[in-house]
Amino acid sequence: MSEKTVAILGASRQRHKFGNKAVRAHQSEGYAVYPVNPSAEEIEGLPCYKTLADIPVERLNRVSVYLPPEVVLELLPQIAEVHPAELWLNPGSESDEVVAEAEQLGLTVIQACSIVSLGRMPTQFANE
């Protein structure tokens, strides 16, 4: 994979939310960003996708999640189907059950803030 790609599950139009800050942070670091939110058409000028399966790339480097654990559990089979190199469970999206199920599905799970992993801080992305 030469292009850095990321799907943001739980992407938000609201700039104060981490699901929006993650879109902007990954964009600023050169990622091709695919926001996923079934209720949005566009986020930060990018087309928004209803599901992971709708994203027009062969394989994602990252899937970064900003959803509650009970929702993540429901989405894990869909995440496994797209075979991301990494599944980032951001604070608040993880649980022991989510991690166990994700690993059972063969996903490489990282429990950390994907924004911080880029060398950025969420506070760098103002809410304007």
Side-chain angles (χ1 to χ4, degrees):
M1 289 181 274
S2 57
E3 183 179 40
K4 298 185 298 187
T5 57
V6 62
I8 308 291
L9 291 180
S12 177
R13 290 176 288 217
Q14 298 176 26
R15 292 176 66 85
H16 70 280
K17 293 200 169 194
F18 285 93
N20 180 285
K21 292 179 181 196
V23 169
R24 291 184 280 146
H26 282 86
Q27 278 184 307
S28 73
E29 293 301 317
Y31 277 78
V33 180
Y34 300 94
V36 179
N37 180 325
S39 301
E41 295 296 320
E42 182 181 285
I43 293 177
E44 295 298 322
L46 299 170
C48 196
Y49 298 89
K50 304 289 182 210
T51 69
L52 277 172
D54 296 333
I55 296 173
V57 296
E58 193 171 306
R59 186 160 186 234
L60 294 161
N61 297 110
R62 292 181 164 191
V63 170
S64 185
V65 182
Y66 291 90
L67 296 167
E70 58 274 11
V71 176
V72 179
L73 273 173
E74 292 177 22
L75 294 176
L76 281 175
Q78 292 174 40
I79 295 169
E81 284 180 22
V82 300
H83 307 289
E86 303 169 338
L87 172 60
W88 285 77
L89 297 175
N90 293 279
S93 66
E94 79 280 27
S95 72
D96 291 343
E97 188 178 5
V98 167
V99 172
E101 182 65 22
E103 289 175 346
Q104 177 104 20
L105 291 168
L107 295 165
T108 300
V109 177
I110 300 166
Q111 296 180 73
C113 178
S114 65
I115 297 170
V116 173
S117 78
L118 300 170
R120 308 297 297 267
M121 294 300 295
T123 54
Q124 290 178 273
F125 298 92
N127 302 336
E128 70 271 345

